[in-house]
């Protein structure tokens, strides 16, 4: 299982320290939650802060856009050379065009599905994306409770991925911890995002990442 800690639960007064801590703990990606106060009822960070995250990180960035006007935000973040940019299918009129745009910028395209969105909604995008992100909470905040129906969605998505693009990764985001990660693995999930579990772990960040692995 690949681990992408979300810096949403970091101490933003010590952001570079908290990015270094997850990299030292041997995470696989640094998950960056970008919220615009429109698509979701929360507002987070823009390219000025994410540039500081990129400079502190020794791991590739996984940028999760929770915004309206995806194309504008892709242009804002592309110069930071993230590994992935994911956008919400619910918010995009031209998803295939956006996937092509992200790819043309040298970034791996990913598409995100809210908890109510069936995997079939991205069936005809699967050949062209490198990852599908399934939300296991309603997007907007860290520290929410895991929604177990994501397991069935992951199982269904895995079947579609095997048909259209076996190299495409499945990522799950929200409420992931050491109690539910095995069920995600069993459902075919490749990457998990974990924010509060990693940053609020009583034993420490490295221990939290190791326990998920
Ligand atoms: C929610 C974000 C998540 C969140 C995960 O909108 O996309 O990445 O930070 O936090 P936890 O792991 O605390 O649910
Ligand atoms: Zn996220």
């Amino acid at each position: 299982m690949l681990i992408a800690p979300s810096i949403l639960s970091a101490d933003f007064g010590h952001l570079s320290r908290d990015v270094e801590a997850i990299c030292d703990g041997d995470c696989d990606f640094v998950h960056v939650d970008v919220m615009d106060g429109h698509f979701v009822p929360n507002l987070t960070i823009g390219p000025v802060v994410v540039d500081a995250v990129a400079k502190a990180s020794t791991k590739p960035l996984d940028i999760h856009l929770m915004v309206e006007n995806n194309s504008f935000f892709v242009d804002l973040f592309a110069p930071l050379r993230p590994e992935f940019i994911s956008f919400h299918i619910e918010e995009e009129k031209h998803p295939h065009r956006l996937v092509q745009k992200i790819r043309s910028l040298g970034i791996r395209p990913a598409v995100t599905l809210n908890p109510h969105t069936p995997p079939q909604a991205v069936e005809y995008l699967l050949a062209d994306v490198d990852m599908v992100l399934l939300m296991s909470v309603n997007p907007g905040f860290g520290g929410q409770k895991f929604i177990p129906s994501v397991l069935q969605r992951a199982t269904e998505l895995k079947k579609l991925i095997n048909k259209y693009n076996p190299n495409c990764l499945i990522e799950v985001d929200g409420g992931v911890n050491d109690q539910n990660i095995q069920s995600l693995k069993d459902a075919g999930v490749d990457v998990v995002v974990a924010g509060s579990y990693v940053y609020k772990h009583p034993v420490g960040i490295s221990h939290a990442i190791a326990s998920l692995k």
Side-chain angles (χ1 to χ4, degrees):
M1 186 69 94
L2 300 170
I3 310 296
S6 165
I7 57 161
L8 191 60
S9 294
D11 176 352
F12 275 66
H14 300 93
L15 189 54
S16 53
R17 178 200 69 187
D18 278 7
V19 172
E20 286 162 13
I22 54 175
C23 294
D24 291 347
D26 207 21
C27 70
D28 296 286
F29 303 108
V30 173
H31 185 83
V32 178
D33 288 306
V34 175
M35 307 184 190
D36 67 348
H38 294 278
F39 178 63
V40 288
N42 197 2
L43 184 62
T44 58
I45 52 178
V48 173
V49 176
V50 180
D51 183 51
V53 172
K55 288 192 171 113
S57 178
T58 56
K59 305 287 183 175
L61 301 191
D62 169 29
I63 296 186
H64 174 193
L65 297 179
M66 285 160 274
V67 300
E68 295 179 352
N69 203 352
N70 285 297
S71 185
F72 167 79
F73 281 87
V74 167
D75 287 331
L76 274 188
F77 289 102
L80 303 179
R81 315 305 313 152
E83 178 85 5
F84 294 101
I85 293 184
S86 67
F87 65 90
H88 273 261
I89 190 74
E90 301 86 6
E91 189 50 46
E92 184 50 50
K93 289 197 189 85
H94 300 288
H96 194 273
R97 178 181 290 156
L98 187 63
V99 165
Q100 288 176 315
K101 172 174 175 163
I102 295 170
R103 180 84 69 195
S104 75
L105 291 165
I107 300 162
R108 301 174 74 189
V111 62
T112 306
L113 281 65
N114 270 338
H116 72 281
T117 305
Q120 290 75 16
V122 294
E123 180 168 355
Y124 297 110
L125 276 183
L126 289 177
D128 299 297
V129 294
D130 286 356
M131 187 162 75
V132 178
L133 169 49
L134 296 176
M135 292 307 298
S136 43
V137 296
N138 290 296
F141 302 94
Q144 302 182 82
K145 197 165 171 285
F146 182 78
I147 300 172
S149 58
V150 74
L151 296 171
Q152 191 188 330
R153 292 197 302 138
T155 306
E156 287 174 20
L157 175 60
K158 187 71 181 174
K159 285 186 200 142
L160 294 174
I161 281 177
N162 286 339
K163 183 172 169 192
Y164 292 99
N165 180 7
N167 293 325
C168 179
L169 300 172
I170 302 179
E171 183 177 44
V172 165
D173 183 1
V176 174
N177 56 39
D178 60 346
Q179 301 298 305
N180 54 30
I181 192 165
Q182 184 64 51
S183 61
L184 291 166
K185 185 78 194 165
D186 294 344
V189 174
D190 305 288
V191 188
V192 292
V193 178
S196 49
Y197 178 78
V198 167
Y199 277 107
K200 314 274 186 242
H201 197 286
V203 184
I205 288 169
S206 292
H207 178 89
I209 295 170
S211 74
L212 291 174
K213 289 200 168 192

